[in-house]
Amino acid sequence: MTPSPRLLLTIDYESWFALSRRYDFLPPETRFQMDEEYSRRAIDPILEMLGNSKITFYLVGEMAGWYPELPEKISKAGHEVGFHCHVHRRLNNIHEIEKDLNASAEWIKKYNVRGYRAPMITTVEEVYPLLAKHNFTYSSSQYAPTGVTIKKGSIWEIPASTLPLLSMPDEFNAPRNMNLKLIRGGEFPYGSSFMSGLFRPIVYKIIEQEFKAGKSPVIFLHPYELVRPSRWYARFANDLLRDPSLLPFTFHKVNFLKDLLRNFPTSSMQDYIKELS
């Protein structure tokens, strides 16, 4: 069954410093201090922006420990709570992924979390049996053309959206992350907030065209793109100097979000999968 078209809008709910790999292995208490309660303060304005639209939040697990009200508020507002790793860092080793899942097991069970998104949308093929073992229903941890859904055993893979500019790819095994290989292969990964930062009008037009074609684009944003951290550029200046490609993730995207919500129906990923199944 092909689900009715909708915008599968998602938010990877992570702290402002998650953009940079410099902080991945700091002690947890140091990361908590660096957050300065930004992640707790940002949730209410974002929920207010969303209004009656329903989306999926992929929450970093250690933040559910810092601020237990985060998954509670997301769930009570009618949105889906998904899992975006326990500590935001690249996870390509299956044993490290399992340790990461176990670290958030308590709140995952409490909120009946069934959706997984790997950090930086990059994972390994071996993740799918592991997700099934931990009672997940789906993953959104690859890039692929809009409308592609892949069954990996009992797990659905619902990728972040790309637009194939050449031929349709015929292989969808992880990792399929946003890199030069993907782009050289003719895919424009418009589902990434990197692209909506650089090419907002183009991304909006693609979403519009895909929707008219009966497809359901999967795109993601981040909290710091919607609610500015205090002293944002001053705090992040060294990271931008080290890696200027991070700049599009720092742009303010409230108007982009408002345009999307005004013009496209949305739903959680879980509701989409119910229709898909």
mmCIF file of all heavy atoms in Angstrom, residues 53-71:
data_model
loop_
_atom_site.group_PDB
_atom_site.id
_atom_site.type_symbol
_atom_site.label_atom_id
_atom_site.label_comp_id
_atom_site.label_asym_id
_atom_site.label_seq_id
_atom_site.Cartn_x
_atom_site.Cartn_y
_atom_site.Cartn_z
ATOM 1 N N SER A 53 0.433 20.672 13.960
ATOM 2 C CA SER A 53 1.131 19.726 13.086
ATOM 3 C C SER A 53 1.850 18.688 13.930
ATOM 4 O O SER A 53 2.381 18.998 15.000
ATOM 5 C CB SER A 53 2.143 20.455 12.203
ATOM 6 O OG SER A 53 1.503 21.399 11.378
ATOM 7 N N LYS A 54 1.861 17.446 13.456
ATOM 8 C CA LYS A 54 2.506 16.360 14.187
ATOM 9 C C LYS A 54 3.736 15.883 13.421
ATOM 10 O O LYS A 54 3.665 15.638 12.206
ATOM 11 C CB LYS A 54 1.542 15.191 14.398
ATOM 12 C CG LYS A 54 0.268 15.584 15.141
ATOM 13 C CD LYS A 54 0.558 16.298 16.465
ATOM 14 C CE LYS A 54 -0.711 16.779 17.144
ATOM 15 N NZ LYS A 54 -0.440 17.683 18.276
ATOM 16 N N ILE A 55 4.848 15.755 14.149
ATOM 17 C CA ILE A 55 6.109 15.367 13.518
ATOM 18 C C ILE A 55 6.805 14.339 14.410
ATOM 19 O O ILE A 55 6.257 13.893 15.417
ATOM 20 C CB ILE A 55 7.016 16.584 13.271
ATOM 21 C CG1 ILE A 55 7.584 17.120 14.594
ATOM 22 C CG2 ILE A 55 6.269 17.700 12.538
ATOM 23 C CD1 ILE A 55 8.773 18.036 14.420
ATOM 24 N N THR A 56 8.049 14.010 14.050
ATOM 25 C CA THR A 56 8.866 13.092 14.847
ATOM 26 C C THR A 56 10.113 13.820 15.340
ATOM 27 O O THR A 56 10.807 14.472 14.563
ATOM 28 C CB THR A 56 9.274 11.863 14.017
ATOM 29 O OG1 THR A 56 8.095 11.148 13.634
ATOM 30 C CG2 THR A 56 10.177 10.936 14.819
ATOM 31 N N PHE A 57 10.364 13.690 16.635
ATOM 32 C CA PHE A 57 11.591 14.180 17.253
ATOM 33 C C PHE A 57 12.501 12.990 17.529
ATOM 34 O O PHE A 57 12.093 12.040 18.199
ATOM 35 C CB PHE A 57 11.305 14.858 18.596
ATOM 36 C CG PHE A 57 10.663 16.206 18.516
ATOM 37 C CD1 PHE A 57 9.310 16.336 18.240
ATOM 38 C CD2 PHE A 57 11.403 17.362 18.762
ATOM 39 C CE1 PHE A 57 8.705 17.584 18.195
ATOM 40 C CE2 PHE A 57 10.810 18.619 18.723
ATOM 41 C CZ PHE A 57 9.453 18.728 18.434
ATOM 42 N N TYR A 58 13.730 13.033 17.023
ATOM 43 C CA TYR A 58 14.733 12.030 17.376
ATOM 44 C C TYR A 58 15.619 12.641 18.469
ATOM 45 O O TYR A 58 16.390 13.572 18.215
ATOM 46 C CB TYR A 58 15.551 11.623 16.149
ATOM 47 C CG TYR A 58 14.715 10.940 15.103
ATOM 48 C CD1 TYR A 58 14.338 11.613 13.949
ATOM 49 C CD2 TYR A 58 14.257 9.641 15.297
ATOM 50 C CE1 TYR A 58 13.548 10.990 12.996
ATOM 51 C CE2 TYR A 58 13.462 9.011 14.353
ATOM 52 C CZ TYR A 58 13.109 9.699 13.210
ATOM 53 O OH TYR A 58 12.318 9.090 12.271
ATOM 54 N N LEU A 59 15.472 12.117 19.671
ATOM 55 C CA LEU A 59 16.064 12.725 20.857
ATOM 56 C C LEU A 59 17.369 12.036 21.245
ATOM 57 O O LEU A 59 17.436 10.806 21.307
ATOM 58 C CB LEU A 59 15.053 12.623 22.005
ATOM 59 C CG LEU A 59 15.441 13.189 23.359
ATOM 60 C CD1 LEU A 59 15.701 14.692 23.272
ATOM 61 C CD2 LEU A 59 14.318 12.911 24.373
ATOM 62 N N VAL A 60 18.395 12.840 21.509
ATOM 63 C CA VAL A 60 19.654 12.307 22.032
ATOM 64 C C VAL A 60 19.427 11.862 23.472
ATOM 65 O O VAL A 60 18.943 12.625 24.306
ATOM 66 C CB VAL A 60 20.770 13.363 21.948
ATOM 67 C CG1 VAL A 60 22.012 12.899 22.699
ATOM 68 C CG2 VAL A 60 21.119 13.641 20.487
ATOM 69 N N GLY A 61 19.802 10.606 23.767
ATOM 70 C CA GLY A 61 19.413 9.985 25.016
ATOM 71 C C GLY A 61 19.965 10.645 26.263
ATOM 72 O O GLY A 61 19.258 10.753 27.267
ATOM 73 N N GLU A 62 21.216 11.094 26.243
ATOM 74 C CA GLU A 62 21.755 11.683 27.462
ATOM 75 C C GLU A 62 20.987 12.944 27.840
ATOM 76 O O GLU A 62 20.911 13.305 29.018
ATOM 77 C CB GLU A 62 23.251 11.964 27.336
ATOM 78 C CG GLU A 62 23.656 13.054 26.391
ATOM 79 C CD GLU A 62 25.166 13.332 26.447
ATOM 80 O OE1 GLU A 62 25.848 12.779 27.332
ATOM 81 O OE2 GLU A 62 25.648 14.104 25.594
ATOM 82 N N MET A 63 20.355 13.599 26.859
ATOM 83 C CA MET A 63 19.563 14.788 27.156
ATOM 84 C C MET A 63 18.269 14.437 27.871
ATOM 85 O O MET A 63 17.737 15.242 28.643
ATOM 86 C CB MET A 63 19.297 15.558 25.863
ATOM 87 C CG MET A 63 20.546 16.212 25.318
ATOM 88 S SD MET A 63 20.398 16.764 23.608
ATOM 89 C CE MET A 63 18.903 17.704 23.682
ATOM 90 N N ALA A 64 17.752 13.228 27.629
ATOM 91 C CA ALA A 64 16.579 12.773 28.379
ATOM 92 C C ALA A 64 16.938 12.551 29.840
ATOM 93 O O ALA A 64 16.074 12.647 30.721
ATOM 94 C CB ALA A 64 16.029 11.486 27.772
ATOM 95 N N GLY A 65 18.218 12.262 30.106
ATOM 96 C CA GLY A 65 18.691 12.180 31.481
ATOM 97 C C GLY A 65 18.898 13.554 32.092
ATOM 98 O O GLY A 65 18.578 13.780 33.257
ATOM 99 N N TRP A 66 19.431 14.489 31.301
ATOM 100 C CA TRP A 66 19.628 15.847 31.796
ATOM 101 C C TRP A 66 18.302 16.523 32.115
ATOM 102 O O TRP A 66 18.150 17.176 33.126
ATOM 103 C CB TRP A 66 20.343 16.700 30.743
ATOM 104 C CG TRP A 66 21.712 16.250 30.355
ATOM 105 C CD1 TRP A 66 22.512 15.335 31.013
ATOM 106 C CD2 TRP A 66 22.465 16.700 29.213
ATOM 107 N NE1 TRP A 66 23.701 15.190 30.346
ATOM 108 C CE2 TRP A 66 23.711 16.008 29.250
ATOM 109 C CE3 TRP A 66 22.215 17.600 28.193
ATOM 110 C CZ2 TRP A 66 24.691 16.213 28.274
ATOM 111 C CZ3 TRP A 66 23.187 17.805 27.218
ATOM 112 C CH2 TRP A 66 24.411 17.120 27.258
ATOM 113 N N TYR A 67 17.343 16.337 31.169
ATOM 114 C CA TYR A 67 16.055 17.030 31.272
ATOM 115 C C TYR A 67 14.939 16.015 31.009
ATOM 116 O O TYR A 67 14.456 15.880 29.870
ATOM 117 C CB TYR A 67 15.970 18.161 30.244
ATOM 118 C CG TYR A 67 17.203 19.033 30.145
ATOM 119 C CD1 TYR A 67 17.983 19.039 28.986
ATOM 120 C CD2 TYR A 67 17.592 19.846 31.204
ATOM 121 C CE1 TYR A 67 19.114 19.840 28.890
ATOM 122 C CE2 TYR A 67 18.730 20.651 31.117
ATOM 123 C CZ TYR A 67 19.478 20.643 29.958
ATOM 124 O OH TYR A 67 20.601 21.436 29.866
ATOM 125 N N PRO A 68 14.491 15.294 32.025
ATOM 126 C CA PRO A 68 13.468 14.255 31.817
ATOM 127 C C PRO A 68 12.164 14.788 31.242
ATOM 128 O O PRO A 68 11.374 14.021 30.683
ATOM 129 C CB PRO A 68 13.259 13.695 33.231
ATOM 130 C CG PRO A 68 14.519 14.009 33.967
ATOM 131 C CD PRO A 68 14.996 15.314 33.406
ATOM 132 N N GLU A 69 11.945 16.101 31.352
ATOM 133 C CA GLU A 69 10.710 16.664 30.819
ATOM 134 C C GLU A 69 10.698 16.712 29.291
ATOM 135 O O GLU A 69 9.632 16.886 28.675
ATOM 136 C CB GLU A 69 10.454 18.063 31.376
ATOM 137 C CG GLU A 69 11.460 19.140 30.967
ATOM 138 C CD GLU A 69 12.623 19.299 31.919
ATOM 139 O OE1 GLU A 69 13.043 18.277 32.514
ATOM 140 O OE2 GLU A 69 13.121 20.436 32.067
ATOM 141 N N LEU A 70 11.866 16.557 28.638
ATOM 142 C CA LEU A 70 11.902 16.650 27.170
ATOM 143 C C LEU A 70 11.026 15.591 26.496
ATOM 144 O O LEU A 70 10.111 15.937 25.734
ATOM 145 C CB LEU A 70 13.340 16.569 26.662
ATOM 146 C CG LEU A 70 14.225 17.799 26.859
ATOM 147 C CD1 LEU A 70 15.619 17.525 26.318
ATOM 148 C CD2 LEU A 70 13.624 19.017 26.182
ATOM 149 N N PRO A 71 11.267 14.287 26.706
ATOM 150 C CA PRO A 71 10.396 13.305 26.055
ATOM 151 C C PRO A 71 8.948 13.415 26.521
ATOM 152 O O PRO A 71 8.024 13.162 25.739
ATOM 153 C CB PRO A 71 11.014 11.959 26.453
ATOM 154 C CG PRO A 71 11.831 12.241 27.664
ATOM 155 C CD PRO A 71 12.331 13.636 27.510
#
